[in-house]
Amino acid sequence: MNEKLRKWLHRFFGVLTIVLALLLAWQWLQSQPATNPFKKNTNRILTQKQGKYSKKERKTIRDAVAAEDQKGLNLNKQGYIAIPKLSILLPIYDNAYSKVALDKGANTAQKNWPVPVMGQGNYTLAAHNWDNGYTGFSALQEKLKQNAPYEDENGALGKSAWLNGTVIYLANKNGIYRYKVTGQTAVDQNDSSVLNPDERLDNKAKLTIVTCLFPDTTKRIITHAKYLDHHSWQDAKSDELSHFDLKKQKTNVLP
């Protein structure tokens, strides 16, 4: 082998090694949860406002949260959901069985039952998992593009505790409701038992969030959260109000 060919092969395999290393690093990064500090999220939201909100500012935030903004599509506004840890901020409507409604945000999911009430019973919500770690409820999946830990390679359903203790906020015209995540489970797409309006957690009201699993979209990730408390708009802490300050915050309905 002449010297020129040897140098060319050396460079070629050097570049190939770098390319393969970058591809492996990219695949690893894509599989990480949205909260991984190495994962760049260009849609970060829910930074807290410094200082306090005045009575007038509180009313402005409340009115924006409750505003009926999709009446033209026959969608009734229920309020908003915020999960600061995951940069989730979505409006809530009342029809999870409508593609039009799901394209606008989260929706209550109790079919054939009355629309659930925040802070009461089993408040069920559903929104898209866009398989990107930040749009809709995508960030609720522990690792992108991996069925585990919700489903193993043999199809057995599992659970996850990675979000346990995470606080979830719901808001409507009556104030802000706090819930705490107690775990995640997985169910088949046709299993509606998790939507039972009478279901409770430790004899308390609960929140049930439904979103698709990827890549096995025939399964659903169910996030369970226990009701903690409720504060009126006048009594809520300023940092909690800031999650719903729609003049400063961005929703993650779309990328």
Side-chain angles (χ1 to χ4, degrees):
M1 181 183 298
N2 62 45
E3 183 64 15
K4 186 176 181 180
L5 178 59
R6 187 188 68 78
K7 288 182 178 180
W8 183 88
L9 288 174
H10 180 74
R11 288 196 208 97
F12 173 78
F13 285 111
V15 171
L16 183 61
T17 299
I18 293 172
V19 170
L20 289 175
L22 289 173
L23 284 174
L24 288 172
W26 173 253
Q27 290 177 344
W28 174 84
L29 185 61
Q30 288 299 98
S31 72
Q32 300 306 298
T35 50
N36 190 305
F38 293 102
K39 191 176 183 88
K40 225 170 168 192
N41 188 340
T42 58
N43 200 37
R44 299 305 298 180
I45 57 175
L46 299 169
T47 54
Q48 295 181 356
K49 175 184 174 179
Q50 300 299 314
K52 294 184 178 181
Y53 286 95
S54 67
K55 185 175 181 180
K56 182 178 179 181
E57 289 173 322
R58 289 167 180 265
K59 182 179 183 301
T60 298
I61 294 173
R62 180 201 68 186
D63 292 347
V65 164
E68 291 286 0
D69 51 16
Q70 298 296 339
K71 277 299 187 181
L73 296 175
N74 295 317
L75 298 178
N76 297 310
K77 181 82 155 295
Q78 302 301 310
Y80 273 80
I81 178 172
I83 310 178
K85 180 178 180 178
L86 301 177
S87 290
I88 289 175
L89 178 63
L90 297 171
I92 300 172
Y93 301 101
D94 64 355
N95 190 355
Y97 302 92
S98 161
K99 182 182 183 302
V100 171
L102 285 173
D103 285 344
K104 295 298 181 181
N107 280 260
T108 56
Q110 285 171 324
K111 195 173 186 179
N112 301 321
W113 283 298
V115 175
V117 178
M118 292 180 186
Q120 299 180 25
N122 180 20
Y123 194 84
T124 56
L125 287 177
H128 286 310
N129 178 352
W130 295 96
D131 193 29
N132 60 16
Y134 58 92
T135 308
F137 280 155
S138 301
L140 290 172
Q141 182 163 336
E142 183 173 350
K143 293 186 177 181
L144 300 183
K145 308 182 189 305
Q146 291 188 30
N147 291 324
Y150 309 103
E151 180 183 20
D152 68 20
E153 58 186 10
N154 297 316
L157 298 181
K159 56 186 179 180
S160 173
W162 83 290
L163 288 177
N164 284 16
T166 299
V167 176
I168 298 176
Y169 301 89
L170 301 182
N172 62 16
K173 64 181 180 180
N174 297 319
I176 298 175
Y177 305 77
R178 292 196 315 146
Y179 294 79
K180 183 171 69 174
V181 175
T182 59
Q184 291 182 313
T185 57
V187 299
D188 183 80
Q189 62 182 347
N190 297 315
D191 186 347
S192 61
S193 62
V194 296
L195 305 180
N196 183 346
D198 296 322
E199 188 175 347
R200 299 289 189 275
L201 266 175
D202 298 334
N203 295 318
K204 293 185 177 182
K206 68 169 295 190
L207 170 65
T208 302
I209 298 178
V210 182
T211 195
C212 288
L213 173 66
F214 274 93
D216 185 357
T217 57
T218 68
K219 304 299 187 296
R220 300 289 180 264
I221 299 170
I222 311 299
T223 302
H224 307 271
K226 180 170 63 176
Y227 175 68
L228 296 177
D229 53 33
H230 163 263
H231 293 102
S232 69
W233 287 105
Q234 293 307 315
D235 295 333
K237 295 178 180 178
S238 286
D239 61 349
E240 294 179 353
L241 263 74
S242 70
H243 303 324
F244 301 99
D245 186 348
L246 302 179
K247 289 184 178 180
K248 299 181 179 298
Q249 306 289 12
K250 296 187 298 181
T251 63
N252 61 309
V253 178
L254 298 173

